[in-house]
Amino acid sequence: MRADIVIVGSGVAGAHLARSLAERGHDVLVLEAGPRRSRADNLATFYANPVKGPQAPYPSMDYAPHPEDGGYDDFYVQAGSDPFIGAYLRLFGGTTWHWTGFADRLRPADFRMKSAYGVGEDWPIDYDLLLPYYEEAERRWGVAGEDDHVWGAPRGGVPYQMPPIPRSYMDMQVTAALERMGLHSAPFSHARNSVIHDARPACCGNNTCVPICPIGAKYDASVDAMKAEDADARFVTEALVTFIEIGDDGLVNRVRLRRPDGSTEWVEGSIFALCCHAIENPRLLLNSAQEGAPDGVANGSDAVGRYLLTQANQDSWGLLPDPVFPYRGPQQTAGLVEMRDGAFRAERAAIGTSFMNSGWSGNSDATSLAKDLIDQGIVGQALAQAINDRVSRHLRLNSSAEVLARPENRVELADETDSAGIPKPKVTFSMDDYTRSGLAEGLAINRRIFEELGVDDMQSNDPYLSNAIIGGTARMGTDPRHSVVDTDLVAHQHRNLYILGTSAHVSAPVNAPSLTVAALAIRAAGHIETALRSARP
């Protein structure tokens, strides 16, 4: 196979890049390690799977394995003090199949942490540079939001494409308590339809956004991948790229892929783009060590795999005196406004606290509740009534904290191999005191909220690493000695190699990263088009 532009990965970055280039008439080939599955197939798997975690609808294939619920220590070789549980998919459309659906821009201050607060690192780009690409990404997705609540990211008067997703009854009860405390809530912006949009239905409140929207009201990258196909981009699934070959001129010549039957073949191109998330991007680069790239492709700085990013979470929950009726609507529709940005970030991490419409899920679901009640001798109709009473009064608050990028938090290749014969990712991660201080402040506020709602025995768990956020590992920068790609996402050492997605991000603040991934991919398409033109007579 051959194409002018060869893209590895069909998630948010790969789909937007492929669509942008194919719609401009370019020859695009996308290689996806995993299978192509219908929503109906994924739903059937979810219903049949007794485990209802984020990976439940999406089987891990031996020819292209990904982490499985309850099996993170089997997938990752853990080498740090904090277990790493980052979840991602190998599938046509990528990991947005099971994302929450937050459609946030990063805040201007998020791009200049060092300048503004004296901690972390500044990005080599700023908010204004990304503004037109944010707007284009939002037009493609369709975003439901309230124009008065932009979560710190100025919109310049450009409205959201759809009205906001309605807040839940539970949101309003928490909001009333916050107002008595002098605090505030606001509705989230969603890549989730509040009305029919782009031939997809409006959200009907199934409350299974993670792991799957059963009706397609929530955007996922298969939407843009299929639009890229409509523009004649070619997609090849079940094609695991295992090696990148570098020529004597320092350019990428071709990549080698492996089929499910173990056969291999080479794919040639003029420009190559890695879009396979923040674990698989460095894993592929490191696995491609060769003469001329002895430490791995694009790794002259020894930064490939380093500066691994995630977020840290902490849950607080309690049983309220009166019903608030969770388990309705999207899993998160509103959150606490305070603690997401401000001068305090010089001392402790920003915190994003969400009001969880998914109740105590993950802490005490209806199955374990039923067993506890049966052990107390409650059976029959009394059992049903007791379950309904308890579940209707569930409240959980989730606080997520940013972490600082540190070189010692990293992905390396392990000595063990996975089912496809590729070295497993070895992950070293330790949570910093900056993050723990932020979570401690968030926990104190959550305790006050529960007390205001009449709960004096709030429960909480220990801080743990996020399942949803993975970043860093091929960071963007202007100094080739300390970064992997430049501001256009071109590898410093290989000028026809682009590395996209959260792996290029310099930080992982509490505003979700997916819209930034899409915006940067759309921007990179323009740079690739210019590079192709300049290379041709």
Side-chain angles (χ1 to χ4, degrees):
M1 290 183 285
R2 194 195 185 287
D4 286 346
I5 305 116
V6 177
I7 299 171
V8 184
S10 65
V12 167
H16 280 287
L17 184 64
R19 177 183 171 184
S20 297
L21 291 165
E23 287 182 343
R24 297 173 192 176
H26 293 289
D27 176 29
V28 178
L29 173 65
V30 182
L31 304 174
E32 168 56 51
R36 182 170 189 152
R37 285 166 55 91
S38 69
R39 192 172 302 274
D41 288 340
N42 290 331
L43 279 170
T45 302
F46 174 50
Y47 295 149
N49 194 335
V51 179
K52 302 301 183 188
Q55 308 286 81
Y58 317 103
S60 177
M61 302 299 181
D62 287 345
Y63 59 81
H66 59 236
E68 295 183 273
D69 298 316
Y72 293 98
D73 289 348
D74 295 326
F75 185 85
Y76 295 109
V77 174
Q78 303 281 0
S81 59
D82 292 293
F84 189 80
I85 56 170
Y88 62 94
L89 299 175
R90 283 166 149 175
L91 183 71
F92 179 85
T95 304
T96 44
W97 273 95
H98 70 31
W99 71 317
T100 303
F102 288 150
D104 299 328
R105 304 174 182 185
L106 299 190
R107 300 165 183 259
D110 293 333
F111 292 95
R112 46 186 182 84
M113 282 286 289
K114 186 73 171 179
S115 299
Y117 305 121
V119 297
E121 299 284 346
D122 287 350
W123 290 52
I125 60 174
D126 60 19
Y127 182 87
D128 290 339
L129 181 144
L130 275 189
L131 185 57
Y133 306 103
Y134 273 144
E135 292 172 353
E136 172 60 22
E138 289 174 344
R139 282 191 292 269
R140 292 185 182 189
W141 289 8
V143 177
E146 191 167 306
D147 294 326
D148 292 335
H149 298 289
V150 297
W151 297 101
R155 300 188 59 81
V158 177
Y160 290 108
Q161 285 73 35
M162 289 177 279
I165 299 290
R167 299 197 215 189
S168 67
Y169 176 80
M170 186 195 78
D171 289 341
M172 304 313 295
Q173 307 316 300
V174 176
T175 297
L178 290 174
E179 290 174 349
R180 295 193 292 271
M181 297 165 56
L183 298 173
H184 307 87
S185 75
F188 292 128
S189 52
H190 295 256
R192 174 181 288 103
N193 289 354
S194 59
V195 296
I196 295 172
H197 177 82
D198 196 25
R200 293 182 289 116
C203 173
C204 61
N206 285 287
N207 203 247
T208 60
C209 322
V210 180
I212 187 170
C213 176
I215 64 170
K218 183 186 70 174
Y219 170 88
D220 63 72
S222 69
V223 172
D224 277 289
M226 288 187 286
K227 289 180 178 179
E229 278 189 316
D230 291 342
D232 294 329
R234 293 171 286 153
F235 283 74
V236 180
T237 57
E238 301 183 344
L240 173 66
V241 175
T242 62
F243 190 83
I244 304 166
E245 183 184 83
I246 304 298
D248 293 338
D249 57 2
L251 300 179
V252 177
N253 284 339
R254 55 185 184 167
V255 297
R256 184 174 62 216
L257 63 83
R258 183 181 186 274
R259 296 291 197 172
D261 63 4
S263 62
T264 63
E265 57 188 290
W266 291 96
V267 181
E268 298 178 347
S270 300
I271 288 178
F272 295 81
L274 302 190
C275 304
C276 33
H277 219 314
I279 299 297
E280 295 301 333
N281 274 348
R283 194 179 176 197
L284 174 56
L285 293 166
L286 294 172
N287 196 50
S288 300
Q290 59 200 275
E291 187 178 355
D295 299 316
V297 168
N299 198 26
S301 62
D302 189 35
V304 169
R306 292 189 182 273
Y307 305 101
L308 175 63
L309 296 167
T310 182
Q311 291 177 0
N313 288 349
Q314 190 164 28
D315 296 298
S316 307
W317 64 94
L319 195 65
L320 301 187
D322 298 309
V324 288
F325 306 111
Y327 307 99
R328 290 164 167 79
Q331 288 161 324
Q332 301 172 53
T333 43
L336 180 66
V337 170
E338 284 79 11
M339 311 308 299
R340 294 171 183 261
D341 191 26
F344 67 86
R345 290 174 82 179
E347 305 294 334
R348 52 182 164 80
I351 294 291
T353 296
S354 300
F355 317 147
M356 302 302 294
N357 291 325
S358 53
W360 289 8
S361 295
N363 302 89
S364 176
D365 63 19
T367 303
S368 59
L369 172 60
K371 291 177 180 176
D372 291 342
L373 293 171
I374 291 168
D375 288 343
Q376 298 171 31
I378 302 174
V379 297
Q381 186 61 32
L383 176 63
Q385 291 173 346
I387 291 173
N388 288 339
D389 171 66
R390 302 285 182 90
V391 167
S392 70
R393 295 186 286 128
H394 280 181
L395 175 62
R396 178 167 61 102
L397 306 177
N398 173 265
S399 296
S400 297
E402 61 186 337
V403 304
L404 297 178
R406 298 189 295 166
E408 58 268 32
N409 288 339
R410 65 186 302 191
V411 178
E412 301 172 89
L413 298 182
D415 294 332
E416 303 174 43
T417 57
D418 65 14
S419 55
I422 307 301
K424 288 184 175 182
K426 175 184 174 182
V427 178
T428 303
F429 201 97
S430 297
M431 200 182 305
D432 52 65
D433 290 339
Y434 177 84
T435 299
R436 292 184 185 278
S437 296
L439 286 173
E441 182 69 17
L443 188 65
I445 292 174
N446 290 352
R447 191 174 302 281
R448 290 173 54 203
I449 294 171
F450 274 102
E451 289 173 352
E452 189 65 40
L453 289 166
V455 177
D456 57 9
D457 60 347
M458 182 197 85
Q459 300 179 68
S460 62
N461 49 21
D462 293 331
Y464 60 95
L465 299 184
S466 170
N467 197 232
I469 304 295
I470 315 173
T473 69
R475 69 185 338 207
M476 183 194 310
T478 56
D479 188 344
R481 296 172 300 173
H482 303 292
S483 57
V484 179
V485 298
D486 64 17
T487 55
D488 297 310
L489 305 184
V490 181
H492 291 301
Q493 293 178 278
H494 315 291
R495 301 307 295 173
N496 69 335
L497 176 63
Y498 291 72
I499 304 173
L500 281 69
T502 53
S503 60
H505 290 196
V506 177
S507 62
V510 293
N511 280 15
S514 301
L515 191 70
T516 302
V517 171
L520 283 168
I522 294 168
R523 180 174 180 268
H527 191 271
I528 289 173
E529 186 170 41
T530 300
L532 283 171
R533 283 200 190 113
S534 64
R536 289 174 177 156

